[in-house]
Amino acid sequence: MPENIIVLDEANFDQETSKEMPIVVDFWATWCAPCRLIAPHLEALAKEYEGRVRVGKVDVDQNGSIATRFQIRSIPTLLVFKDGQTVDQLIGMVPKDSIQELIDKHVS
Amino acid sequence: MKEPSAKSLERMEKFVKIFCEKSGTSTSPQEGVTDAVIQGLAANIDELKKPLCPCRFYPDKQEEVKHRTWICACDDMQIYKYCHCLLFVSPEGLPITEYLPPDHEGRKTYGLVKDPTPDKGRPLRHKGAEREKERRERPS
């Protein structure tokens, strides 16, 4: 996993999503092809927005309780968290521009 | 996730080839897409005895296989010719969204993608209303 992507699990999820700086959380799974296709976009955006937005990933097969808690069904699902609240979401193999628009709504 | 067995991989590879011909769909031109999904389906055959879609999260996989909703080819494929997992797509690699209800997440994500072979596929097209009722009552 690239160093600018935060690997989220049950131990650190609440801590990382409760910070003031927004975090885009990608709910993904190993054999999910659309998840693989958006991964490079997220890595690029994590670099471009460094210091303004963070990017994290939750492997739903390893962290079922988190996926259940946020009623994840279709993957990839991107949720944006700020101050511990879910403030936005995107579902599916969206283009990089759409993820960027999502982020821009929540950065100052 | 555990690597799938050669037997299950072979089964899914054959199935994908036949289903593409039958439904008038293509596999993705993007490298790695088809292989990843086939591996996920094969891994689920090994684990659950059924090719459960690997592009969804199920709170309880064993419970989910009791329904046929997300067993490949899933209800969305058989009714709307829509494959969220990008296994059965248009020649350009996009999921066909033409027949989806307007509020379906596929239409929101991909817009309108026309079916290039409307004379093929959708054997359960008459079950759209039933599927939407299930989507509301048993989100899965």
Side-chain angles (χ1 to χ4, degrees), chain B residues 46-101:
Chain B
D46 292 342
E47 184 188 344
L48 308 159
K49 313 286 181 217
K50 298 281 183 190
L52 193 64
C53 176
C55 298
R56 301 196 71 82
F57 169 71
Y58 314 97
D60 184 339
K61 279 187 176 184
Q62 296 289 351
E63 177 61 30
E64 186 58 44
V65 294
K66 292 177 188 168
H67 306 270
R68 84 146 319 281
T69 316
W70 298 113
I71 292 169
C72 189
C74 69
D75 282 1
D76 276 5
M77 188 69 214
Q78 306 261 12
I79 296 168
Y80 303 122
K81 214 169 172 174
Y82 172 72
C83 178
H84 155 79
C85 215
L86 310 179
L87 185 57
F88 304 114
V89 289
S90 72
E92 295 77 28
L94 289 170
I96 294 156
T97 62
E98 181 177 350
Y99 310 110
L100 290 173

Side-chain angles (χ1 to χ4, degrees), chain A residues 29-34 36-37 60-65 67-68 71-76 91-95, chain B residues 1-4 30 32-33 36-37 39-40 43 54-57 59 61 84-86 94 105 109-110 139-140:
Chain A
T30 308
W31 304 125
C32 161
R36 291 180 178 210
L37 293 175
V60 297
D61 288 326
Q62 305 295 322
N63 300 282
S65 65
T68 301
Q71 298 181 313
I72 302 300
R73 296 288 181 265
S74 190
I75 52 173
I91 296 172
M93 187 200 65
V94 288
Chain B
M1 203 168 171
K2 202 177 158 191
E3 292 290 321
Q30 286 185 272
V33 167
V37 181
Q39 287 188 65
C55 298
R56 301 196 71 82
F57 169 71
K61 279 187 176 184
H84 155 79
C85 215
L86 310 179
L94 289 170
E105 70 185 35
T109 303
Y110 301 103
S140 64

Side-chain angles (χ1 to χ4, degrees), chain A residues 3-5 9 20 23 30 40-41 68 70 76 78 93 107-108:
Chain A
E3 62 183 29
N4 54 354
I5 302 285
D9 56 25
E20 190 184 346
I23 182 167
T30 308
H41 302 329
T68 301
F70 293 96
L78 302 178
M93 187 200 65
V107 292
S108 45

